[in-house]
Amino acid sequence: MALSLSAAGAAPRPAPAPLPPVRPPEFARPQLPAAPPPAPERGHQIVVEPSSETANPAGSACLRALASVPGNRVRPAEPKSVSSADPACQITDAVTVEALAVRKADGPGEVAFNPPVTIGCDMARTLADWLDGSLEPLVRGHFGKELSRLRVGGGYECRRRNRQSAGPVSEHATGRALDIFAFTVGEPKAGGFDVVVEKHDGLAQGRFVQAVRHSACGAFSTSLGPGSDAAHANHLHVDIQARRSASTRFCQ
């Protein structure tokens, strides 16, 4: 290693290392975007203008993601349908779901909601994943047909749990819950039929409903159906109630 002397009689020290080669133009560092300008000031108070997503729920990232999938028929909910004087009944990013897309045996398809239901967009997104990844394959595996629609109820509704006069609000009051009463397998005009949650017909339908309940336990925070209590004797209730741990499930 080459040495150099800084002054007469001084101890030798290493020569400076050579500089690295010049970075090729094709590997130039990307230019960072300029910082946004500060919010305008009015007097001594800084005023932050609302973003387009806050001011216009129709532009939310969740709704845009759902609307971009062919077969999803989802629209912003009418404001009057989700307004409530009760401060406990607050729904975020409310949407009305008419149908959600699924991958069927012969290509893209959809599952209709009868009637259309109003829920939070996060709940709609969870339902979309469950329908496509679990429910539609279960219908095809058990019956050799496709799922065409869900008979549903109890989307957003400002009320207490189990319709009690007091106590905690239901997850329906936040738009994070849905009640499913029946599954329509195939098209009614082409030999289709309903599998009713409360009273299914035969062993094959009973096994299907049981499989659906098991899959719902993994997809949702809460899954309640016949046998859990009197309030859920005729339907399957699913919700995405926030819990301390994302892996916590309540399944009956």
Side-chain angles (χ1 to χ4, degrees), residues 135-158:
L135 190 51
E136 167 64 21
L138 282 174
V139 172
R140 192 182 310 131
H142 280 262
F143 304 113
K145 295 178 178 290
E146 308 290 350
L147 179 66
S148 61
R149 59 184 58 86
L150 296 180
R151 180 146 54 87
V152 299
Y156 172 75
E157 185 179 356
C158 185

Side-chain angles (χ1 to χ4, degrees), residues 134-247:
S134 296
L135 190 51
E136 167 64 21
L138 282 174
V139 172
R140 192 182 310 131
H142 280 262
F143 304 113
K145 295 178 178 290
E146 308 290 350
L147 179 66
S148 61
R149 59 184 58 86
L150 296 180
R151 180 146 54 87
V152 299
Y156 172 75
E157 185 179 356
C158 185
R159 62 176 174 84
R160 306 291 168 179
R161 288 182 186 172
N162 299 335
R163 302 189 182 279
Q164 299 296 313
S165 58
V169 295
S170 168
E171 287 304 301
H172 288 284
T174 63
R176 293 181 292 189
L178 181 69
D179 294 337
I180 302 173
F181 292 85
F183 310 87
T184 300
V185 178
E187 291 296 337
K189 294 182 179 180
F193 55 89
D194 284 344
V195 178
V196 181
V197 172
E198 181 180 15
K199 189 177 181 180
H200 34 267
D201 184 12
L203 182 61
Q205 291 192 12
R207 287 176 173 171
F208 166 73
V209 172
Q210 189 67 19
V212 169
R213 293 181 68 168
H214 287 164
S215 72
C217 288
F220 302 93
S221 301
T222 308
S223 176
L224 301 170
S228 60
D229 57 31
H232 300 92
N234 64 349
H235 66 276
L236 175 65
H237 166 99
V238 292
D239 70 48
I240 54 171
Q241 178 184 4
R243 303 186 189 277
R244 292 182 180 179
S245 171
S247 62

Side-chain angles (χ1 to χ4, degrees), residues 48-61 64 93:
V48 180
E49 300 297 336
S51 68
S52 59
E53 290 193 5
T54 302
N56 180 17
S60 72
R64 288 199 303 270
D93 201 2

Side-chain angles (χ1 to χ4, degrees), residues 19 41 45 83 118 142 162 187 250:
L19 296 175
E41 294 190 6
Q45 181 182 12
S83 61
T118 295
H142 280 262
N162 299 335
E187 291 296 337
F250 186 78

